[in-house]
Amino acid sequence: MMSSLRFKLIIGFITIAIPLLILLLFNNLFALSTVREQVAESNKNAIILYSNQIQAELNRETNFLYNLAYEDPNISLLSRVIHDPTEYILTKERIINELNRYHRFDSSVDFQFIYSVQNKDIFNTAIKAKSYEELITIQTTLEELLREAKPGSIYFQKWKAVKYGDQYALVRLVDTGEGYYLGASVQLKNLMIPLDLIQLGSDGFASFISDEGKIISNKEMSTALAIEPEGSQDTYQLVLMGDKKYIVVSNPIKGTDTMLSAFIPEEKLVQKLTYFRGFIFMLPFLAAIVLIFYVFYLNKMILRPISNLIRGMRKIKHGDWSTRLARSQTKEFTIINETFNEMAAQIHDLKIHVYEEQIKLHKAEVKHLQLQMNPHFLLNSINIIYNLAQIQKYDIIQLMSLNLVKYFRFTTQTHRNVVSIAEELEHMESYIKIQQLRFPDRITYNFEVENSLQSRCIPPLIIQPFIENSMKYGFDFMEHPFHLDIQIASEKHSHIMEIVISDNGSGFNPDILAHLRSGQYFLSQSDEHLGIWNVYHRLQYIFGQEASLQFTNLPDSGACITIRMPIRNLDSFV
């Protein structure tokens, strides 16, 4: 039962359905997170923009207070005329007039004031209040703050949130150094006016958050939240207020103890995703129903025809060549049954031409080995271009691209079974130039070819694997450049030519060299040195015992490979 196709198909269906369900659940959570990220990101820029605007306005006000404190002669005159009531009042009037002029045209605060530490005296620009009670509350709160304020306290360092009754305001003080404090105050609700332009939905809102994480500019939502004063490293935070969950995007306002936050209700954003999530939870029950119908349908359309096919094959195996299969209800099994019937009728008359099939197999293996060479350099090339792009070497990328065009134009000509030696060396030159671009002034090369052999033909990509292995295993950042040398010459009084490839690198590892010389390496295929394995077998397929590979280490340093093969023209290759 467990080994039957029916059982395995059912298990396969369950195996696919469960991960798919998990994937759908994960996709739902990911989609929810993506929606949050996108909404938060779209509102983050607006919050940053308005935060910077508020910060710029407060900085301009702070600069004005400092300039007034240290440059206005009337401020320094106050301390000198404090015992002359008439002159003291006139000086105060001049200062108030100057503050009123600035407040009328340039100021972004509600009012400005000056406080005398010695006289406990406050004089200020007009305070806008909706009621007399609100005015008294502001004056009383401000007096208490100024009496308790000491130079060096937080009010002299940045704009500090202060509560006027049920409203919050930002207050900033500047010490003149002569017994007077200059200051300004602005209610947060007035700074919130431009924020009404941000579209946050019907239940969404923008607000200032105190350093304790409390909403201080929205009376309806005045509550403590788990929000850090400096915000979160994430784009957004999820905050639960009452029975509603909000996506909160915050940005600190420098120079204050507050930050500006946008509260976007999550419910409407993910409403459709919630319906989709409920549908996903229903999927297991739907899948069980589908599975029952699937088993019956599978049995009729697939499993029964397969069972008939297996029964017929067993009869053929036992010598019953008269076995025939009936037509099936599906087109595919009808074709299979007809093909089976034709094979059963013709199998006695089929003659296998062993010699022709061996030649076809021989050519197919050679072609397969040749095609295996193509992807070998592709990964290295992509890696080189990737590294160059990382260091922004665009001019080198252009040169490399030209050489890669030549290189891949050559390697993709899979219809060619042979190439001339000149073409092969031109291909190798493109490869080496690519490596030279990768390692400037670290690679040199030299080609010496007997003139009569330039037009002779060899299998393509015979030399490339050895050059690649020299670069991979022999090349190291030596004190002198890495040099590659290729010499091609014919043996005297012979139809054999030698291709000698050498370098001045580190040479073969003794164990690998012994493995290559003994021929044990070529008895089994491995991922290491796959190109050399391919070259050896291609030479054996094409030339047989007339071709050979020799591996040595040069006396001083470097590796040397000698390829011996017959000299052939294009017409000599079948």
Side-chain angles (χ1 to χ4, degrees):
M1 176 63 182
M2 296 183 63
S3 61
S4 67
L5 182 60
R6 181 181 288 104
F7 177 80
K8 292 181 178 179
L9 286 174
I10 295 174
I11 294 299
F13 178 82
I14 296 174
T15 304
I16 294 174
I18 292 177
L20 182 61
L21 180 62
I22 295 174
L23 180 62
L24 288 173
L25 291 173
F26 173 79
N27 181 68
N28 180 255
L29 295 176
F30 179 76
L32 181 61
S33 176
T34 301
V35 169
R36 290 170 178 164
E37 287 283 352
Q38 291 178 348
V39 171
E41 192 65 35
S42 64
N43 288 279
K44 182 73 172 180
N45 295 330
I47 290 297
I48 292 175
L49 175 63
Y50 286 116
S51 298
N52 292 338
Q53 289 180 353
I54 293 172
Q55 178 183 332
E57 292 176 358
L58 295 178
N59 287 342
R60 184 177 62 189
E61 188 69 27
T62 303
N63 292 336
F64 171 76
L65 293 177
Y66 273 107
N67 291 335
L68 187 68
Y70 297 111
E71 296 181 4
D72 193 301
N74 291 316
I75 299 299
S76 60
L77 183 62
L78 276 176
S79 60
R80 295 196 298 271
V81 299
I82 192 171
H83 299 295
D84 186 345
T86 302
E87 188 61 32
Y88 183 74
I89 292 173
L90 291 175
T91 304
K92 284 172 47 176
E93 287 298 324
R94 287 194 296 271
I95 295 174
I96 291 297
N97 290 335
E98 183 174 354
L99 292 176
N100 284 329
R101 283 195 302 272
Y102 175 79
H103 186 71
R104 187 178 303 114
F105 298 106
D106 297 315
S107 180
S108 56
V109 299
D110 296 337
F111 65 91
Q112 297 156 322
F113 57 86
I114 300 176
Y115 175 70
S116 171
V117 178
Q118 180 177 350
N119 293 345
K120 311 296 182 182
D121 183 20
I122 302 176
F123 49 99
N124 52 269
T125 59
I127 300 176
K128 296 179 181 179
K130 294 181 178 179
S131 63
Y132 180 74
E133 289 77 9
E134 181 180 353
L135 177 63
I136 295 299
T137 299
I138 294 174
Q139 291 176 339
T140 304
T141 304
L142 187 61
E143 289 175 0
E144 294 176 356
L145 184 153
L146 292 172
R147 282 196 298 269
E148 296 175 359
K150 303 295 179 183
S153 66
I154 189 66
Y155 295 98
F156 294 91
Q157 299 173 13
K158 59 182 179 181
W159 292 84
K160 173 71 175 172
V162 176
K163 190 174 183 181
Y164 294 151
D166 58 354
Q167 297 288 342
Y168 278 86
L170 292 178
V171 175
R172 182 69 158 86
L173 299 179
V174 173
D175 185 10
T176 64
E178 298 181 1
Y180 291 90
Y181 299 157
L182 299 182
S185 173
V186 56
Q187 290 194 21
L188 293 181
K189 65 179 181 180
N190 296 329
L191 294 177
M192 291 289 297
I193 294 175
L195 299 178
D196 295 336
L197 300 176
I198 304 178
Q199 300 297 325
L200 301 175
S202 58
D203 296 328
F205 63 94
S207 177
F208 286 90
I209 306 297
S210 68
D211 53 2
E212 294 87 9
K214 183 179 181 181
I215 297 177
I216 57 176
S217 61
N218 192 316
K219 289 188 291 183
E220 289 128 7
M221 295 293 181
S222 181
T223 181
L225 305 174
I227 300 178
E228 294 297 328
E230 295 299 325
S232 173
Q233 297 297 322
D234 298 328
T235 307
Y236 66 92
Q237 293 176 269
L238 286 177
V239 175
L240 183 64
M241 292 192 295
D243 58 346
K244 291 185 179 180
K245 186 179 292 187
Y246 289 86
I247 299 172
V248 182
V249 181
S250 304
N251 189 66
I253 302 176
K254 295 182 180 179
T256 74
D257 63 344
T258 63
M259 60 182 174
L260 188 60
S261 299
F263 292 76
I264 306 104
E266 185 191 45
E267 181 180 2
K268 293 186 178 180
L269 294 176
V270 299
Q271 188 173 21
K272 294 183 179 179
L273 289 177
T274 303
Y275 297 150
F276 181 64
R277 190 188 308 172
F279 171 74
I280 289 177
F281 287 131
M282 292 296 296
L283 276 180
F285 303 100
L286 297 176
I289 297 173
V290 171
L291 180 60
I292 296 173
F293 288 98
Y294 168 77
V295 170
F296 285 105
Y297 179 79
L298 193 66
N299 181 67
K300 181 179 180 181
M301 305 303 294
I302 298 178
L303 298 179
R304 189 179 300 168
I306 289 178
S307 178
N308 294 334
L309 179 60
I310 293 174
R311 192 180 300 112
M313 293 175 65
R314 286 175 177 171
K315 290 181 178 180
I316 291 291
K317 180 180 178 181
H318 291 91
D320 185 2
W321 301 104
S322 62
T323 301
R324 298 293 184 267
L325 299 179
R327 292 179 61 85
S328 176
Q329 295 182 358
T330 61
K331 180 179 178 181
E332 291 78 10
F333 277 105
T334 297
I335 295 174
I336 292 174
N337 292 349
E338 290 176 354
T339 303
F340 175 86
N341 294 337
E342 290 177 5
M343 291 175 60
Q346 297 176 7
I347 196 167
H348 283 142
D349 300 328
L350 182 62
K351 294 183 179 180
I352 301 175
H353 303 283
V354 177
Y355 179 73
E356 292 179 356
E357 290 301 321
Q358 285 180 343
I359 292 178
K360 289 181 181 179
L361 178 61
H362 165 81
K363 290 183 178 180
E365 289 176 336
V366 171
K367 193 69 175 179
H368 174 68
L369 291 174
Q370 180 178 336
L371 289 174
Q372 280 186 311
M373 304 298 295
N374 292 334
H376 187 73
F377 182 63
L378 176 59
L379 295 178
N380 294 337
S381 301
I382 294 174
N383 186 50
I384 292 171
I385 292 208
Y386 171 77
N387 291 330
L388 288 172
Q390 279 190 322
I391 60 176
Q392 299 182 355
K393 295 290 185 178
Y394 302 118
D395 53 339
I396 301 180
I397 291 176
Q398 290 177 341
L399 294 175
M400 178 170 286
S401 297
L402 292 176
N403 284 284
L404 284 174
V405 168
K406 295 179 181 179
Y407 179 90
F408 285 108
R409 182 181 291 120
F410 182 91
T411 56
T412 53
Q413 295 175 354
T414 57
H415 62 281
R416 301 183 62 184
N417 294 323
V418 294
V419 295
S420 66
I421 290 177
E423 290 175 320
E424 179 80 5
L425 290 181
E426 182 182 5
H427 173 61
M428 284 299 93
E429 191 171 22
S430 297
Y431 172 80
I432 296 174
K433 284 183 178 179
I434 291 171
Q435 300 296 348
Q436 285 181 325
L437 291 173
R438 184 184 177 191
F439 304 105
D441 302 324
R442 299 301 304 166
I443 300 173
T444 59
Y445 68 96
N446 177 57
F447 296 165
E448 291 184 14
V449 185
E450 188 175 312
N451 291 333
S452 62
L453 299 178
Q454 289 277 359
S455 60
R456 301 293 184 175
C457 293
I458 60 175
L461 304 175
I462 287 293
I463 300 176
Q464 176 185 329
F466 300 104
I467 299 298
E468 285 186 348
N469 278 284
S470 294
M471 293 296 303
K472 183 176 181 180
Y473 298 103
F475 173 64
D476 198 354
F477 289 95
M478 306 172 291
E479 296 181 358
H480 53 277
F482 182 73
H483 181 75
L484 289 166
D485 187 81
I486 299 177
Q487 297 185 13
I488 304 178
S490 60
E491 294 181 358
K492 292 182 179 181
H493 311 295
S494 173
H495 67 289
I496 299 297
M497 66 176 171
E498 286 188 351
I499 302 175
V500 181
I501 306 165
S502 60
D503 60 56
N504 64 343
S506 58
F508 289 106
N509 180 281
D511 295 334
I512 295 177
L513 182 60
H515 201 46
L516 291 169
R517 283 180 170 177
S518 66
Q520 293 296 320
Y521 168 78
F522 302 107
L523 297 180
S524 61
Q525 183 178 2
S526 64
D527 292 338
E528 189 176 10
H529 306 297
L530 178 60
I532 298 177
W533 189 94
N534 281 337
V535 170
Y536 174 81
H537 285 279
R538 290 172 66 200
L539 291 175
Q540 293 300 309
Y541 284 139
I542 297 172
F543 302 112
Q545 297 301 318
E546 291 184 291
S548 64
L549 291 175
Q550 296 179 1
F551 303 87
T552 58
N553 280 331
L554 297 176
D556 296 328
S557 65
C560 179
I561 301 97
T562 301
I563 305 173
R564 298 181 76 255
M565 68 175 70
I567 302 173
R568 288 189 180 180
N569 294 321
L570 179 60
D571 297 335
S572 301
F573 283 88
V574 179

